[in-house]
PDB file of all heavy atoms in Angstrom:
ATOM      1  N   PRO T 159     -22.275  52.765  -0.932  1.00 98.00           N
ATOM      2  CA  PRO T 159     -22.291  52.101  -2.239  1.00 98.00           C
ATOM      3  C   PRO T 159     -22.101  50.574  -2.091  1.00 98.00           C
ATOM      4  O   PRO T 159     -21.896  50.047  -1.010  1.00 98.00           O
ATOM      5  CB  PRO T 159     -21.081  52.715  -2.937  1.00 98.00           C
ATOM      6  CG  PRO T 159     -20.125  53.025  -1.830  1.00 98.00           C
ATOM      7  CD  PRO T 159     -20.977  53.362  -0.634  1.00 98.00           C
ATOM      8  N   TRP T 167     -23.223  47.148   6.560  1.00 96.00           N
ATOM      9  CA  TRP T 167     -22.881  48.561   6.327  1.00 96.00           C
ATOM     10  C   TRP T 167     -24.174  49.388   6.417  1.00 96.00           C
ATOM     11  O   TRP T 167     -24.208  50.480   6.968  1.00 96.00           O
ATOM     12  CB  TRP T 167     -22.301  48.830   4.930  1.00 96.00           C
ATOM     13  CG  TRP T 167     -21.154  47.919   4.510  1.00 96.00           C
ATOM     14  CD1 TRP T 167     -20.369  47.165   5.322  1.00 96.00           C
ATOM     15  CD2 TRP T 167     -20.662  47.743   3.182  1.00 96.00           C
ATOM     16  NE1 TRP T 167     -19.434  46.513   4.579  1.00 96.00           N
ATOM     17  CE2 TRP T 167     -19.595  46.837   3.262  1.00 96.00           C
ATOM     18  CE3 TRP T 167     -21.041  48.241   1.931  1.00 96.00           C
ATOM     19  CZ2 TRP T 167     -18.872  46.421   2.126  1.00 96.00           C
ATOM     20  CZ3 TRP T 167     -20.338  47.855   0.800  1.00 96.00           C
ATOM     21  CH2 TRP T 167     -19.265  46.937   0.924  1.00 96.00           C
ATOM     22  N   ASP T 186     -15.793  60.455   3.245  1.00 97.00           N
ATOM     23  CA  ASP T 186     -14.709  60.728   2.316  1.00 97.00           C
ATOM     24  C   ASP T 186     -15.192  61.623   1.196  1.00 97.00           C
ATOM     25  O   ASP T 186     -16.316  62.120   1.226  1.00 97.00           O
ATOM     26  CB  ASP T 186     -14.072  59.420   1.815  1.00 97.00           C
ATOM     27  CG  ASP T 186     -14.975  58.647   0.840  1.00 97.00           C
ATOM     28  OD1 ASP T 186     -16.046  59.166   0.442  1.00 97.00           O
ATOM     29  OD2 ASP T 186     -14.616  57.521   0.449  1.00 97.00           O
ATOM     30  N   GLU T 187     -14.351  61.849   0.198  1.00 97.00           N
ATOM     31  CA  GLU T 187     -14.695  62.783  -0.876  1.00 97.00           C
ATOM     32  C   GLU T 187     -15.932  62.365  -1.662  1.00 97.00           C
ATOM     33  O   GLU T 187     -16.576  63.171  -2.325  1.00 97.00           O
ATOM     34  CB  GLU T 187     -13.518  62.958  -1.862  1.00 97.00           C
ATOM     35  CG  GLU T 187     -13.124  61.647  -2.533  1.00 97.00           C
ATOM     36  CD  GLU T 187     -11.951  61.760  -3.488  1.00 97.00           C
ATOM     37  OE1 GLU T 187     -11.889  62.746  -4.236  1.00 97.00           O
ATOM     38  OE2 GLU T 187     -11.104  60.836  -3.485  1.00 97.00           O
ATOM     39  N   ARG T 190     -18.801  58.725   1.412  1.00 98.00           N
ATOM     40  CA  ARG T 190     -18.886  57.375   1.969  1.00 98.00           C
ATOM     41  C   ARG T 190     -18.349  57.421   3.412  1.00 98.00           C
ATOM     42  O   ARG T 190     -17.313  58.062   3.657  1.00 98.00           O
ATOM     43  CB  ARG T 190     -18.051  56.389   1.175  1.00 98.00           C
ATOM     44  CG  ARG T 190     -18.436  56.259  -0.286  1.00 98.00           C
ATOM     45  CD  ARG T 190     -17.474  55.337  -1.044  1.00 98.00           C
ATOM     46  NE  ARG T 190     -16.152  55.911  -1.184  1.00 98.00           N
ATOM     47  CZ  ARG T 190     -15.230  55.507  -2.072  1.00 98.00           C
ATOM     48  NH1 ARG T 190     -15.515  54.495  -2.882  1.00 98.00           N
ATOM     49  NH2 ARG T 190     -14.059  56.070  -2.129  1.00 98.00           N
ATOM     50  N   PHE T 194     -16.024  52.479   6.894  1.00 97.00           N
ATOM     51  CA  PHE T 194     -16.111  51.305   6.027  1.00 97.00           C
ATOM     52  C   PHE T 194     -15.258  51.462   4.739  1.00 97.00           C
ATOM     53  O   PHE T 194     -14.792  50.472   4.177  1.00 97.00           O
ATOM     54  CB  PHE T 194     -17.545  51.082   5.564  1.00 97.00           C
ATOM     55  CG  PHE T 194     -18.466  50.678   6.693  1.00 97.00           C
ATOM     56  CD1 PHE T 194     -19.718  51.268   6.817  1.00 97.00           C
ATOM     57  CD2 PHE T 194     -18.098  49.709   7.610  1.00 97.00           C
ATOM     58  CE1 PHE T 194     -20.579  50.902   7.836  1.00 97.00           C
ATOM     59  CE2 PHE T 194     -18.927  49.337   8.649  1.00 97.00           C
ATOM     60  CZ  PHE T 194     -20.182  49.941   8.754  1.00 97.00           C
ATOM     61  N   PHE T 195     -15.076  52.686   4.289  1.00 97.00           N
ATOM     62  CA  PHE T 195     -14.525  52.867   2.941  1.00 97.00           C
ATOM     63  C   PHE T 195     -13.162  53.551   2.887  1.00 97.00           C
ATOM     64  O   PHE T 195     -12.790  54.102   1.855  1.00 97.00           O
ATOM     65  CB  PHE T 195     -15.556  53.601   2.056  1.00 97.00           C
ATOM     66  CG  PHE T 195     -16.831  52.857   1.954  1.00 97.00           C
ATOM     67  CD1 PHE T 195     -17.927  53.208   2.709  1.00 97.00           C
ATOM     68  CD2 PHE T 195     -16.963  51.767   1.098  1.00 97.00           C
ATOM     69  CE1 PHE T 195     -19.162  52.530   2.622  1.00 97.00           C
ATOM     70  CE2 PHE T 195     -18.151  51.053   1.000  1.00 97.00           C
ATOM     71  CZ  PHE T 195     -19.246  51.464   1.767  1.00 97.00           C
ATOM     72  N   GLN T 196     -12.437  53.489   3.994  1.00 96.00           N
ATOM     73  CA  GLN T 196     -11.082  54.026   3.981  1.00 96.00           C
ATOM     74  C   GLN T 196     -10.072  52.953   3.576  1.00 96.00           C
ATOM     75  O   GLN T 196      -9.132  53.229   2.861  1.00 96.00           O
ATOM     76  CB  GLN T 196     -10.732  54.558   5.394  1.00 96.00           C
ATOM     77  CG  GLN T 196      -9.332  55.169   5.501  1.00 96.00           C
ATOM     78  CD  GLN T 196      -9.339  56.645   5.193  1.00 96.00           C
ATOM     79  OE1 GLN T 196     -10.081  57.134   4.348  1.00 96.00           O
ATOM     80  NE2 GLN T 196      -8.530  57.377   5.907  1.00 96.00           N
ATOM     81  N   SER T 197     -10.289  51.739   4.030  1.00 96.00           N
ATOM     82  CA  SER T 197      -9.383  50.647   3.708  1.00 96.00           C
ATOM     83  C   SER T 197      -9.760  50.065   2.346  1.00 96.00           C
ATOM     84  O   SER T 197     -10.740  50.460   1.744  1.00 96.00           O
ATOM     85  CB  SER T 197      -9.436  49.577   4.786  1.00 96.00           C
ATOM     86  OG  SER T 197     -10.748  49.039   4.870  1.00 96.00           O
ATOM     87  N   PHE T 198      -8.952  49.106   1.910  1.00 97.00           N
ATOM     88  CA  PHE T 198      -9.178  48.510   0.581  1.00 97.00           C
ATOM     89  C   PHE T 198      -9.826  47.147   0.680  1.00 97.00           C
ATOM     90  O   PHE T 198      -9.719  46.474   1.723  1.00 97.00           O
ATOM     91  CB  PHE T 198      -7.823  48.377  -0.147  1.00 97.00           C
ATOM     92  CG  PHE T 198      -7.164  49.703  -0.415  1.00 97.00           C
ATOM     93  CD1 PHE T 198      -6.199  50.184   0.473  1.00 97.00           C
ATOM     94  CD2 PHE T 198      -7.497  50.470  -1.520  1.00 97.00           C
ATOM     95  CE1 PHE T 198      -5.584  51.409   0.233  1.00 97.00           C
ATOM     96  CE2 PHE T 198      -6.894  51.695  -1.729  1.00 97.00           C
ATOM     97  CZ  PHE T 198      -5.936  52.166  -0.862  1.00 97.00           C
ATOM     98  N   THR T 199     -10.407  46.721  -0.413  1.00 97.00           N
ATOM     99  CA  THR T 199     -10.959  45.353  -0.458  1.00 97.00           C
ATOM    100  C   THR T 199      -9.837  44.373  -0.196  1.00 97.00           C
ATOM    101  O   THR T 199     -10.022  43.324   0.408  1.00 97.00           O
ATOM    102  CB  THR T 199     -11.573  45.113  -1.859  1.00 97.00           C
ATOM    103  OG1 THR T 199     -12.509  46.127  -2.129  1.00 97.00           O
ATOM    104  CG2 THR T 199     -12.250  43.745  -1.890  1.00 97.00           C
ATOM    105  N   ARG T 232     -10.000  44.086  -8.699  1.00 97.00           N
ATOM    106  CA  ARG T 232      -9.801  45.494  -8.370  1.00 97.00           C
ATOM    107  C   ARG T 232      -9.590  45.721  -6.889  1.00 97.00           C
ATOM    108  O   ARG T 232      -9.642  46.848  -6.405  1.00 97.00           O
ATOM    109  CB  ARG T 232     -10.995  46.312  -8.877  1.00 97.00           C
ATOM    110  CG  ARG T 232     -11.264  46.173 -10.385  1.00 97.00           C
ATOM    111  CD  ARG T 232     -12.184  47.252 -10.874  1.00 97.00           C
ATOM    112  NE  ARG T 232     -11.588  48.550 -10.723  1.00 97.00           N
ATOM    113  CZ  ARG T 232     -10.748  49.126 -11.586  1.00 97.00           C
ATOM    114  NH1 ARG T 232     -10.448  48.503 -12.688  1.00 97.00           N
ATOM    115  NH2 ARG T 232     -10.241  50.301 -11.352  1.00 97.00           N
ATOM    116  N   GLY T 233      -9.319  44.637  -6.177  1.00 97.00           N
ATOM    117  CA  GLY T 233      -9.137  44.715  -4.718  1.00 97.00           C
ATOM    118  C   GLY T 233      -8.128  45.760  -4.263  1.00 97.00           C
ATOM    119  O   GLY T 233      -8.373  46.477  -3.291  1.00 97.00           O
ATOM    120  N   PRO T 234      -6.965  45.890  -4.937  1.00 96.00           N
ATOM    121  CA  PRO T 234      -5.980  46.878  -4.460  1.00 96.00           C
ATOM    122  C   PRO T 234      -6.366  48.323  -4.733  1.00 96.00           C
ATOM    123  O   PRO T 234      -5.721  49.250  -4.227  1.00 96.00           O
ATOM    124  CB  PRO T 234      -4.710  46.519  -5.265  1.00 96.00           C
ATOM    125  CG  PRO T 234      -4.934  45.122  -5.746  1.00 96.00           C
ATOM    126  CD  PRO T 234      -6.411  44.998  -5.952  1.00 96.00           C
ATOM    127  N   MET T 235      -7.371  48.543  -5.571  1.00 96.00           N
ATOM    128  CA  MET T 235      -7.769  49.909  -5.921  1.00 96.00           C
ATOM    129  C   MET T 235      -9.152  50.284  -5.411  1.00 96.00           C
ATOM    130  O   MET T 235      -9.625  51.394  -5.623  1.00 96.00           O
ATOM    131  CB  MET T 235      -7.788  50.118  -7.444  1.00 96.00           C
ATOM    132  CG  MET T 235      -6.447  49.985  -8.133  1.00 96.00           C
ATOM    133  SD  MET T 235      -6.065  48.286  -8.562  1.00 96.00           S
ATOM    134  CE  MET T 235      -7.020  48.050 -10.037  1.00 96.00           C
ATOM    135  N   THR T 236      -9.813  49.356  -4.734  1.00 97.00           N
ATOM    136  CA  THR T 236     -11.213  49.568  -4.345  1.00 97.00           C
ATOM    137  C   THR T 236     -11.319  49.756  -2.827  1.00 97.00           C
ATOM    138  O   THR T 236     -10.759  49.008  -2.061  1.00 97.00           O
ATOM    139  CB  THR T 236     -12.045  48.359  -4.772  1.00 97.00           C
ATOM    140  OG1 THR T 236     -11.964  48.238  -6.201  1.00 97.00           O
ATOM    141  CG2 THR T 236     -13.497  48.522  -4.365  1.00 97.00           C
ATOM    142  N   HIS T 237     -12.089  50.773  -2.442  1.00 98.00           N
ATOM    143  CA  HIS T 237     -12.291  51.033  -1.029  1.00 98.00           C
ATOM    144  C   HIS T 237     -13.573  50.330  -0.549  1.00 98.00           C
ATOM    145  O   HIS T 237     -14.660  50.700  -0.934  1.00 98.00           O
ATOM    146  CB  HIS T 237     -12.425  52.557  -0.804  1.00 98.00           C
ATOM    147  CG  HIS T 237     -11.179  53.301  -1.189  1.00 98.00           C
ATOM    148  ND1 HIS T 237     -10.966  53.737  -2.466  1.00 98.00           N
ATOM    149  CD2 HIS T 237     -10.081  53.666  -0.486  1.00 98.00           C
ATOM    150  CE1 HIS T 237      -9.793  54.346  -2.520  1.00 98.00           C
ATOM    151  NE2 HIS T 237      -9.237  54.312  -1.339  1.00 98.00           N
ATOM    152  N   SER T 238     -13.353  49.304   0.248  1.00 98.00           N
ATOM    153  CA  SER T 238     -14.454  48.582   0.870  1.00 98.00           C
ATOM    154  C   SER T 238     -13.886  47.673   1.952  1.00 98.00           C
ATOM    155  O   SER T 238     -12.701  47.340   1.918  1.00 98.00           O
ATOM    156  CB  SER T 238     -15.211  47.727  -0.163  1.00 98.00           C
ATOM    157  OG  SER T 238     -14.703  46.416  -0.167  1.00 98.00           O
ATOM    158  N   PRO T 239     -14.721  47.264   2.899  1.00 97.00           N
ATOM    159  CA  PRO T 239     -14.223  46.335   3.937  1.00 97.00           C
ATOM    160  C   PRO T 239     -14.641  44.908   3.679  1.00 97.00           C
ATOM    161  O   PRO T 239     -14.877  44.126   4.614  1.00 97.00           O
ATOM    162  CB  PRO T 239     -14.908  46.904   5.186  1.00 97.00           C
ATOM    163  CG  PRO T 239     -16.200  47.429   4.691  1.00 97.00           C
ATOM    164  CD  PRO T 239     -16.016  47.818   3.252  1.00 97.00           C
ATOM    165  N   CYS T 240     -14.760  44.520   2.407  1.00 98.00           N
ATOM    166  CA  CYS T 240     -15.285  43.171   2.072  1.00 98.00           C
ATOM    167  C   CYS T 240     -14.516  42.024   2.678  1.00 98.00           C
ATOM    168  O   CYS T 240     -15.038  40.931   2.877  1.00 98.00           O
ATOM    169  CB  CYS T 240     -15.393  42.996   0.552  1.00 98.00           C
ATOM    170  SG  CYS T 240     -16.747  43.929  -0.174  1.00 98.00           S
ATOM    171  N   CYS T 261     -17.070  47.376  -6.984  1.00 97.00           N
ATOM    172  CA  CYS T 261     -18.445  47.895  -7.035  1.00 97.00           C
ATOM    173  C   CYS T 261     -18.716  49.010  -6.026  1.00 97.00           C
ATOM    174  O   CYS T 261     -19.833  49.548  -6.021  1.00 97.00           O
ATOM    175  CB  CYS T 261     -19.457  46.782  -6.877  1.00 97.00           C
ATOM    176  SG  CYS T 261     -19.669  46.169  -5.217  1.00 97.00           S
ATOM    177  N   THR T 262     -17.762  49.357  -5.186  1.00 98.00           N
ATOM    178  CA  THR T 262     -18.008  50.502  -4.280  1.00 98.00           C
ATOM    179  C   THR T 262     -17.412  51.788  -4.796  1.00 98.00           C
ATOM    180  O   THR T 262     -17.433  52.810  -4.124  1.00 98.00           O
ATOM    181  CB  THR T 262     -17.448  50.203  -2.875  1.00 98.00           C
ATOM    182  OG1 THR T 262     -16.065  49.864  -3.021  1.00 98.00           O
ATOM    183  CG2 THR T 262     -18.187  49.097  -2.181  1.00 98.00           C
ATOM    184  N   GLU T 263     -16.859  51.732  -6.011  1.00 98.00           N
ATOM    185  CA  GLU T 263     -16.248  52.919  -6.608  1.00 98.00           C
ATOM    186  C   GLU T 263     -17.210  53.536  -7.633  1.00 98.00           C
ATOM    187  O   GLU T 263     -17.999  52.823  -8.268  1.00 98.00           O
ATOM    188  CB  GLU T 263     -14.927  52.555  -7.285  1.00 98.00           C
ATOM    189  CG  GLU T 263     -13.865  52.033  -6.337  1.00 98.00           C
ATOM    190  CD  GLU T 263     -13.450  53.067  -5.278  1.00 98.00           C
ATOM    191  OE1 GLU T 263     -13.433  54.246  -5.605  1.00 98.00           O
ATOM    192  OE2 GLU T 263     -13.130  52.640  -4.148  1.00 98.00           O
ATOM    193  N   GLU T 291      -3.248  51.442  -5.614  1.00 90.00           N
ATOM    194  CA  GLU T 291      -3.275  52.889  -5.309  1.00 90.00           C
ATOM    195  C   GLU T 291      -1.920  53.353  -4.747  1.00 90.00           C
ATOM    196  O   GLU T 291      -1.405  52.771  -3.799  1.00 90.00           O
ATOM    197  CB  GLU T 291      -4.405  53.201  -4.337  1.00 90.00           C
ATOM    198  CG  GLU T 291      -4.623  54.712  -4.220  1.00 90.00           C
ATOM    199  CD  GLU T 291      -5.908  55.034  -3.430  1.00 90.00           C
ATOM    200  OE1 GLU T 291      -6.991  54.645  -3.900  1.00 90.00           O
ATOM    201  OE2 GLU T 291      -5.800  55.654  -2.370  1.00 90.00           O
TER     202      GLU T 291
END
Side-chain angles (χ1 to χ4, degrees):
Chain T
W167 309 343
D186 71 7
E187 60 181 319
R190 301 174 292 198
F194 293 135
F195 300 100
Q196 180 90 324
S197 61
F198 297 95
T199 306
R232 303 195 63 85
M235 295 87 80
T236 300
H237 298 87
S238 94
C240 286
C261 78
T262 53
E263 298 297 327
E291 191 170 298

